[in-house]
Amino acid sequence: MLIMEHQYNINNTTAVVIGLCVHGLAVSRALAKGGVEVHAIESDTKLPGIHTSSSIVHIVNSIAGKDLICNLINLHPYLKSGSWKPVLFPINDEMVGSIADSWNELEDLYCLSWSCNIDLVKSLLNKENLATFCQESGLNYPSSSLVNDVHSLELIPESPNRQYIVKPNKPLSSFKVKKVNNKDEISKLITKHKGSLPFICQPWIEGDDSSIYFCAIYYDKGVPLCSFIGQKILSHPPALGQTTAALPSNNKDILNYTLRFFSEFDITGPVSLEIKVDIKGEYWVIEPTVGRTDYWIDCCIQNGVNIPYIEYLNQVGKKITDSSEKGDRVWLDSSKDPLIIFKIIKHIGLFSIFKSPPRFAYCDLRDYRPVYYSLIDLLKRKSKKFFTWQSDTA
């Protein structure tokens, strides 16, 4: 596992995690495990993560846009002051974009790993630029068309399999990604989701969830300090949505592709790259993540690569030593799919489950309240669905 050189006086500052969804909870726990004092801000009081004991939770009106910036400014006086400013950990692309746009208001108050790469991060967040970045790195990227309105449909080349992937160019829009069977379905998306335009449209690359790999790296001025290679097993919705099951991978080609993609950038901070292997064995870049860790970060953490803690240590000037020892635990997010354990047994076998027990997103013996509230939430949702069904069939 990762060995970090530090003394427990490391807590001369704090970490601030923005959001306590499954992803934010994993980051908070990862930092607390290293002895860091963690503060978290969240606006959704229904999330099981707000009951965590891994952080001091601050409920605010919003963690989006300008509200996020104002709330971070207001929070600062309540944070421990020390040799280093509090370290920020945004959780999604919208937060990254908001912080990047308003960093001049926060730079005297907080520490941000990628503060020297603001323009680069903004550029990488823009999906329109990915084709150019991949071309410069010599990597495959699906041919992409920018869809601004129905008239743009005429410019979209025919997909070899007649299927397309459509995703909004800006983060956290009304949908993440859709698979469509023809241009008429794209037209319907334009009508239904006008507020999320423009879209990026690409031909569908054949392959299920298990054909999707990812690699996470933490860079310090262009030098990788650690890395983790993983493979998706399941996602919701299948082959399109957020990861619900993932495990470590030994596919070094994924690491090499990720290093090639980011080799041109003198970047500091957490990055990752998602890659799909098609039925012919060719590798295709799906999308990068910059300025934050990805939703499946707990898969890395539970297998010995604690990237949030590495980021924290790097930002407070502590030396980091990385050994190559990794685990083989499967990570499962049952919040999206309560039956995920049965589906995963079907994919990897019962023996593999007993050999290396899976890690469930909310479960942690040292921080048990989130899983308790997640089960209560699950029962409420299932009861509501059952009684709705009963009402419809009456």
Side-chain angles (χ1 to χ4, degrees):
M1 61 174 59
L2 287 165
I3 304 168
M4 290 79 168
E5 280 188 17
H6 68 282
Q7 297 175 345
Y8 282 100
N9 65 0
I10 189 172
N11 293 334
N12 58 0
T13 189
T14 58
V16 177
V17 177
I18 308 169
L20 282 171
C21 61
V22 166
H23 180 186
L25 178 62
V27 173
S28 177
R29 285 170 167 173
L31 292 166
K33 184 179 178 181
V36 181
E37 180 179 300
V38 184
H39 290 250
I41 61 173
E42 179 55 74
S43 59
D44 187 351
T45 56
K46 295 180 181 179
L47 289 177
I50 68 165
H51 301 283
T52 182
S53 59
S54 65
S55 62
I56 301 167
V57 181
H58 303 264
I59 302 299
V60 296
N61 62 321
S62 172
I63 51 174
K66 201 64 182 177
D67 286 337
L68 169 61
I69 307 305
C70 292
N71 285 320
L72 286 174
I73 293 171
N74 292 336
L75 174 66
H76 186 265
Y78 299 95
L79 303 177
K80 181 184 293 184
S81 60
S83 305
W84 302 88
K85 293 177 284 188
V87 184
L88 285 180
F89 289 84
I91 297 302
N92 62 43
D93 284 346
E94 185 182 33
M95 296 171 186
V96 171
S98 297
I99 291 172
D101 290 338
S102 303
W103 182 239
N104 62 316
E105 299 178 52
L106 299 173
E107 61 182 338
D108 291 335
L109 306 177
Y110 291 97
C111 181
L112 186 68
S113 60
W114 44 274
S115 60
C116 294
N117 303 111
I118 296 292
D119 291 337
L120 173 60
V121 168
K122 285 183 180 181
S123 182
L124 287 166
L125 284 176
N126 189 336
K127 293 181 175 64
E128 289 182 63
N129 298 327
L130 295 185
T132 301
F133 290 138
C134 288
Q135 185 177 18
E136 291 173 351
S137 304
L139 302 177
N140 291 329
Y141 186 71
S143 59
S144 302
S145 302
L146 190 65
V147 178
N148 291 296
D149 50 41
V150 291
H151 303 295
S152 305
L153 298 180
E154 300 175 4
L155 304 176
I156 300 175
E158 290 297 326
S159 172
N161 52 26
R162 298 185 180 182
Q163 295 177 313
Y164 299 89
I165 286 292
V166 180
K167 45 192 172 185
N169 191 41
K170 57 185 179 182
L172 293 187
S173 296
S174 55
F175 69 97
K176 182 179 180 182
V177 60
K178 297 282 187 181
K179 180 183 177 183
V180 298
N181 297 309
N182 50 57
K183 293 182 181 180
D184 288 339
E185 292 186 15
I186 301 176
S187 179
K188 291 177 182 177
L189 282 177
I190 293 171
T191 302
K192 186 177 181 180
H193 300 278
K194 287 183 179 179
S196 296
L197 289 167
F199 301 153
I200 300 294
C201 181
Q202 300 171 333
W204 165 252
I205 300 170
E206 296 288 347
D208 59 12
D209 284 313
S210 62
S211 65
I212 302 173
Y213 293 79
F214 55 85
C215 180
I217 298 176
Y218 184 81
Y219 278 100
D220 181 20
K221 298 181 178 66
V223 177
L225 299 186
C226 67
S227 63
F228 179 87
I229 309 164
Q231 180 181 12
K232 289 190 179 185
I233 307 174
L234 296 169
S235 61
H236 181 78
L240 294 173
Q242 284 184 324
T243 308
T244 54
L247 77 172
S249 170
N250 292 318
N251 190 336
K252 297 298 183 183
D253 288 339
I254 302 300
L255 173 60
N256 292 334
Y257 268 62
T258 306
L259 290 170
R260 280 173 60 185
F261 183 89
F262 290 103
S263 64
E264 300 298 318
F265 313 125
D266 187 24
I267 194 168
T268 295
V271 303
S272 60
L273 191 67
E274 195 170 280
I275 295 171
K276 190 169 187 178
V277 183
D278 68 16
I279 55 177
K280 296 180 181 179
E282 290 194 50
Y283 289 57
W284 295 85
V285 171
I286 302 302
E287 63 180 2
T289 296
V290 292
R292 64 177 179 89
T293 52
D294 217 316
Y295 188 77
W296 35 253
I297 188 61
D298 203 29
C299 184
C300 310
I301 296 165
Q302 297 304 318
N303 284 287
V305 186
N306 191 339
I307 292 179
Y309 188 45
I310 291 168
E311 180 174 2
Y312 178 87
L313 290 175
N314 179 248
Q315 291 307 294
V316 298
K318 297 294 180 177
K319 185 179 179 181
I320 302 161
T321 305
D322 182 14
S323 72
S324 58
E325 183 183 346
K326 304 285 194 308
D328 59 356
R329 298 187 70 178
V330 176
W331 175 79
L332 305 175
D333 178 14
S334 55
S335 68
K336 292 276 191 304
D337 187 353
L339 300 177
I340 189 70
I341 185 64
F342 302 104
K343 294 179 181 179
I344 204 67
I345 290 173
K346 179 181 176 182
H347 278 264
I348 68 174
L350 190 60
F351 174 76
S352 296
I353 290 292
F354 283 112
K355 181 182 176 184
S356 184
R359 163 70 183 192
F360 288 89
Y362 281 121
C363 292
D364 190 322
L365 293 177
R366 295 161 300 182
D367 184 25
Y368 62 88
R369 288 183 296 177
V371 71
Y372 169 78
Y373 282 95
S374 71
L375 291 172
I376 295 296
D377 181 59
L378 175 61
L379 289 173
K380 286 181 180 178
R381 285 188 282 127
K382 291 300 180 183
S383 298
K384 184 178 180 180
K385 188 175 181 179
F386 173 76
F387 286 115
T388 301
W389 176 78
Q390 289 283 68
S391 176
D392 291 340
T393 57

